[in-house]
Amino acid sequence: MKNSSIIIKAIVSLEPLQSYSTDKIESCQVMKRKKSIFEIPIFETDVDLNRIDVPDGLYKRMWESKIKSNINSHVQPSKETLEYLIDKISECFSELHDKIDAIEFCQIWRNKYEQSDFQGYHIHSVTNWSFIIYEDVEISKTEFINPNMSNILNQCHMPDSKDFPVKYVPNLESGKMILFPSWLPHQVLNGNVGSTISGNIKCHVKGLTFK
């Protein structure tokens, strides 16, 4: 008898679910079977731009589209600015489970965007959290990418899935800040005119990263 492989395909229609009564649907909702795992926290908050003073320094054309940036000038914001940002960031971090005893600003810089400027897919390395303050751009053009994008696109049955989104585009105007894990991939779409202030933060825990 020859060896043979059998492939069984069973396609079951889910249409009968649509005929459930409202009571049954409400019962399913109350049970809340669904859980979201591996959550990625980010924060979106207002900032007072009048309390943020970041010097200009020397601007150079950087990255793929040659954006004007003072990232290499290592500018030093005022003490009042740093204290204000610490307060705003600490308010956000208070909602996290992990303990953070102190934060360290690694770098703060300003980018000046012209209409055709963009930034490609990237992360911020050797740091823990990063932020973007939308200074005088009309609307944010930052696009965050799901770290599992390739697996989702390869294996998800639904294009543009609402259960497994591959990107997030915040809708933030001037005077807003977004705070996110530095390892979260993101890019900046073109079409913006104006400036943003970005920064990187290291988090410290007493007894673990400092005495």
Side-chain angles (χ1 to χ4, degrees), residues 1 23 30 34 36 55-56 58 61 64 77 103 106 113 128 145 147 161 170 178-179 182 188 199 210-211:
M1 181 177 181
D23 292 339
V30 170
K34 188 182 82 170
S36 294
D56 272 328
L58 178 65
R61 297 283 184 175
E64 306 98 324
I103 62 175
C106 304
Y113 288 89
N128 303 130
I145 310 297
S161 169
I178 189 163
L179 176 66
S182 302
V188 181
F210 75 102
K211 294 183 180 181

Side-chain angles (χ1 to χ4, degrees), residues 152-161 163-164:
I152 293 170
L153 293 178
N154 186 46
Q155 295 181 254
C156 185
H157 72 287
M158 189 71 180
D160 298 322
S161 169
D163 294 308
F164 306 103

Side-chain angles (χ1 to χ4, degrees), residues 3-34:
N3 293 329
S4 61
S5 59
I6 301 175
I7 300 176
I8 300 175
K9 291 184 178 180
I11 301 177
V12 180
S13 173
L14 298 183
E15 289 180 356
L17 291 177
Q18 299 173 1
S19 63
Y20 277 15
S21 67
T22 304
D23 292 339
K24 289 183 178 180
I25 293 174
E26 289 177 352
S27 176
C28 289
Q29 291 173 342
V30 170
M31 291 175 69
K32 294 183 179 178
R33 297 185 181 94
K34 188 182 82 170

